[in-house]
Structure formats: C-alpha cells, structure tokens
C-alpha cells in the first residue's frame, strides 16, 4: 500500500503544545489513549483531562507522559465547554491538540501535526487521518465537509483505507476528535460555542477560523485509531438530536449574507429531507424536536452572528469554494 505523503523534510513548528482530552467515563479507552500519548516521538508539554463523568479520582500516568492535569467541573460540560475550560488554562502554550478519549494516536501523531503547521503557515487548524479499526483497513474520517445546504459529514467515513486520501489537502474543518489548533486564534475566536454542547461544534469553529481568513488542513501522516461515538452511542438519539439541532445554528451564525440569502432555500429543503429520511425507522420525532429547539435558539444565534460577521476577512467566493456542491 502506498505510504501517505511524508513531511520529514519540513522543520516542525516550535512552541509548547497542550493536549486536551474531554472524558466521560471512558475507562479503559482513556487508559489506551494516555498510553498512546506516552509513546509520542514529540511529547506533549502538558496533558489536561476534563472529567465530565465524575468517575476519575486519579488517572494512570504512563511512563513518558508529563504529569496529567485533571479537571473536575462537577457536572457534564459537554465537549464544547469542557475544551474551553481547559483552553483557558493553556496561556503558556502556542498550540492545543484535542484528542478524544476513545482515540489512540500513532507514536508520531503529534510530531506530524506540528510538522504540518511548519509547512503550512497559512493554516490554523490541522486534522488527522482517523482509522476505525486497529488493523487500519477502514477510515473513520479525513476531515469534515460542509455542504452548501448546511449539511455536514465526516469525509471518507467507513471507506476502505488502502490507497485513499494519502496526500495532505485542504478541508473545510478538521474533526476535533484528533486535531491541532493555533492556541492564540482559538482564544481570540472564543473557543467552541458552548450552547452546542457536542456535535458539529468543531465545524462551527472551523467555519469561524475560515471567516477569520485562515485555512484548515488534513494531515495524512498524523494518524489515530478512533472508536467514534464509543461514549455517546453509534447513531444514538442523543447524537442525532444534537447534530441536527446544531446545523441550523452553524448556518445562521456563520454564513455571510450573500450566501445566506442564496442558499437559504436549499438549507430549508435539507431540513425537510432529513426529517423525511428518518420517518421509516420511527426516529422522525427526534429530528422534529431537534428542529423545534433549533428554532427556539435562533434569536440567540442571530445575535452571535452580529458579532461574528463584522470580523470576516475571507471572501465570499473562497468560502463557497471550500464547501461541497455534491
């Protein structure tokens, strides 16, 4: 099998990097994740674990890891707020890498992400090549796609890994299950939108990164094995509700006015088609509740839009080109 494109001749970016893990009772999955971090060729300067489930009184500290910093919020913050809590503590770092507790990184994962940041200085966010199995026969994803309708999905999810997506390229947004961000920009943008709780909050952040004039990049040599939705349940009602509730908010907050007007009919049609899609298996009720709650939060997210759009630096055409038409 051809090897992914190598960045070995590129000097990695300098600076301190913190790895943030938002945990919810991941147990042995979290242990495997931390063991993967202990084997890194470029060790993290800090590792911060946010314990959303209140189940971790202490954590294993594999040899080779820096001391693991454990945060107990006392309640389930969700993915968005949990990462923001940790982000606020990383003012001594230049980079933050996010890693899900159900993801095990390859030994050079962090090194390859930092090498890519040196090679692509115009990029502010870098995503990983994620496999869904230990044998690395299938991909869990290679970045997130934003369709012109406002629908989002993980690129290459479930597809055979052999020969696929072996070169670095631009993506609309990295999947935050295993990604690297410029810490200063992340803080300047306000981090993740905590109202999202979880799901599509990484696409929302990726959109705002693009609006600020930066690019997001997929790095095929930065590899992890990711058991997607291991904590929330594959295709669960929880995931379905939050993912589809948040779609409207991503669209309303971030889409520049010319594109908002042009794409609104397609966006509304997408919501209708999605509800109809889930009628046969009896889950349309979950979608209807998601859309109802999305509309209830529309005014709040329109106010957020008023703060976001005046800061836009990216052109309308460049944003449109970054979205998928198919």
């Amino acid at each position: 099998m051809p090897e992914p494109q190598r960045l070995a001749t590129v000097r990695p970016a300098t600076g301190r990097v913190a790895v943030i893990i938002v945990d919810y009772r991941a147990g042995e999955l979290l242990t495997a994740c931390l063991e993967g971090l202990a084997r890194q060729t470029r060790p993290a300067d800090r590792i911060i674990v946010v314990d959303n489930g209140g189940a971790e009184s202490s954590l294993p500290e594999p040899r080779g890891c820096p001391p693991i910093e454990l945060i107990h919020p006392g309640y389930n913050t969700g993915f968005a707020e949990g990462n923001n809590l940790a982000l606020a503590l990383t003012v001594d770092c230049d980079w933050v890498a996010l890693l899900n507790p159900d993801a095990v990184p390859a030994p050079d994962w962090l090194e390859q992400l930092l090498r890519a940041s040196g090679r692509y200085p115009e990029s502010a966010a870098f995503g990983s090549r994620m496999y869904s199995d230990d044998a690395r026969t299938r991909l869990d994803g290679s970045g997130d796609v934003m369709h012109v309708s406002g629908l989002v999905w993980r690129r290459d999810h479930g597809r055979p890994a052999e020969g696929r997506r072996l070169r670095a390229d631009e993506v609309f947004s990295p999947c935050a299950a295993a990604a690297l961000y410029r810490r200063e920009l992340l803080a300047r943008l306000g981090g993740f939108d905590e109202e999202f709780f979880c799901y599509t909050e990484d696409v929302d952040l990726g959109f705002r990164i693009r609006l600020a004039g930066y690019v997001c990049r997929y790095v095929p040599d930065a590899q992890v094995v990711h058991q997607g939705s291991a904590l929330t349940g594959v295709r669960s009602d929880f995931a379905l509700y939050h993912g589809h509730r948040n779609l409207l908010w991503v669209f309303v907050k971030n889409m520049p006015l010319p594109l908002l007007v042009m794409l609104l009919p397609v966006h509304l049609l997408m919501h209708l088609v999605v509800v109809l899609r889930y009628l046969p298996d009896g889950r349309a009720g979950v979608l209807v509740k998601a859309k109802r709650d999305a509309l209830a939060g529309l005014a709040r997210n329109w106010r957020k839009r008023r703060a976001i759009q005046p800061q836009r630096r990216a052109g309308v055409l460049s944003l449109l080109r970054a979205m998928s038409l198919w």
Side-chain angles (χ1 to χ4, degrees):
M1 185 179 89
E3 287 294 319
Q5 183 184 28
R6 286 288 164 187
L7 301 176
T9 59
V10 179
R11 188 175 181 179
T14 58
R16 288 169 56 83
V17 57
V19 176
I20 298 173
I21 302 170
V22 176
D23 173 53
Y24 186 82
R25 302 182 180 180
E28 293 180 359
L29 293 173
L30 176 59
T31 299
C33 175
L34 293 174
E35 289 173 349
L37 288 176
R39 294 190 291 268
Q40 293 299 296
T41 55
R42 196 297 191 184
D45 296 287
R46 296 176 63 186
I47 298 176
I48 303 173
V49 176
V50 182
D51 177 21
N52 271 344
E56 307 291 355
S57 58
S58 63
L59 289 172
E61 296 196 5
R63 186 174 181 180
C65 273
I68 296 170
E69 304 165 50
L70 188 58
I71 300 175
H72 292 284
Y75 59 97
N76 186 359
T77 65
F79 184 82
E81 185 182 353
N83 275 299
N84 287 351
L85 286 173
L87 176 66
L89 303 178
T90 61
V91 292
D92 62 331
C93 293
D94 304 284
W95 302 90
V96 290
L98 308 187
L99 189 63
N100 275 15
D102 56 359
V104 178
D108 62 347
W109 171 70
L110 194 54
E111 178 183 354
Q112 293 296 342
L113 287 174
L114 289 167
R115 284 187 179 277
S117 69
R119 182 169 187 171
Y120 304 109
E122 78 286 358
S123 299
F126 302 86
S128 305
R129 180 178 179 85
M130 301 193 299
Y131 297 94
S132 58
D133 61 320
D134 289 333
R136 302 188 178 191
T137 62
R138 291 201 168 270
L139 292 173
D140 183 61
S142 61
D144 289 336
V145 176
M146 176 81 176
H147 190 260
V148 291
S149 68
L151 191 65
V152 303
W153 63 85
R154 194 175 299 165
R155 189 176 69 170
D156 297 321
H157 177 69
R159 294 190 173 184
E162 186 173 2
R164 184 180 300 277
R165 209 73 67 180
L166 301 179
R167 293 191 173 275
D169 66 352
E170 186 179 330
V171 290
F172 188 85
S173 169
C175 174
L180 179 75
Y181 298 88
R182 296 182 187 276
R183 195 258 172 212
E184 182 276 331
L185 178 63
L186 213 60
R188 178 153 47 92
L189 295 177
F192 290 100
D193 187 331
E194 296 177 7
E195 188 176 3
F196 281 48
F197 193 75
C198 61
Y199 292 104
T200 74
E201 71 286 281
D202 50 359
V203 179
D204 172 69
L205 178 60
F207 208 145
R208 286 183 281 129
I209 288 172
R210 286 190 164 277
L211 289 172
Y214 294 89
V215 173
C216 302
R217 187 77 52 179
Y218 159 67
V219 184
D221 288 323
Q223 301 182 8
V224 301
V225 175
H226 178 229
Q227 298 187 37
S229 300
L231 306 184
T232 59
V234 178
R235 298 180 181 177
S236 65
D237 286 352
F238 178 88
L240 189 65
Y241 169 81
H242 285 88
H244 284 274
R245 181 196 64 178
N246 297 346
L247 286 179
L248 178 63
W249 296 346
V250 173
F251 188 86
V252 165
K253 284 173 55 182
N254 300 305
M255 200 67 73
L257 186 59
L259 294 180
L260 181 70
V261 172
M262 181 176 72
L263 299 176
L264 184 59
V266 184
H267 184 66
L268 296 175
L269 178 62
M270 177 272 292
H271 285 287
L272 176 61
V273 169
V274 166
V275 172
L276 294 176
R277 154 69 180 81
Y278 283 92
L279 273 176
D281 61 5
R283 301 176 75 194
V286 177
L287 268 296
V288 170
K289 183 176 185 298
K291 306 308 179 187
R292 182 197 68 197
D293 292 350
L295 289 172
L298 191 59
R300 288 191 304 274
N301 282 277
W302 191 265
R303 287 193 292 271
K304 295 174 191 175
R305 172 187 177 81
R306 291 176 178 171
I308 292 169
Q309 292 302 318
Q311 306 301 317
R312 176 167 66 90
R313 297 294 178 267
V316 168
L317 289 179
S318 69
L319 288 168
L320 188 59
R321 283 195 296 268
M323 299 177 197
S324 173
L325 298 175
W326 312 107

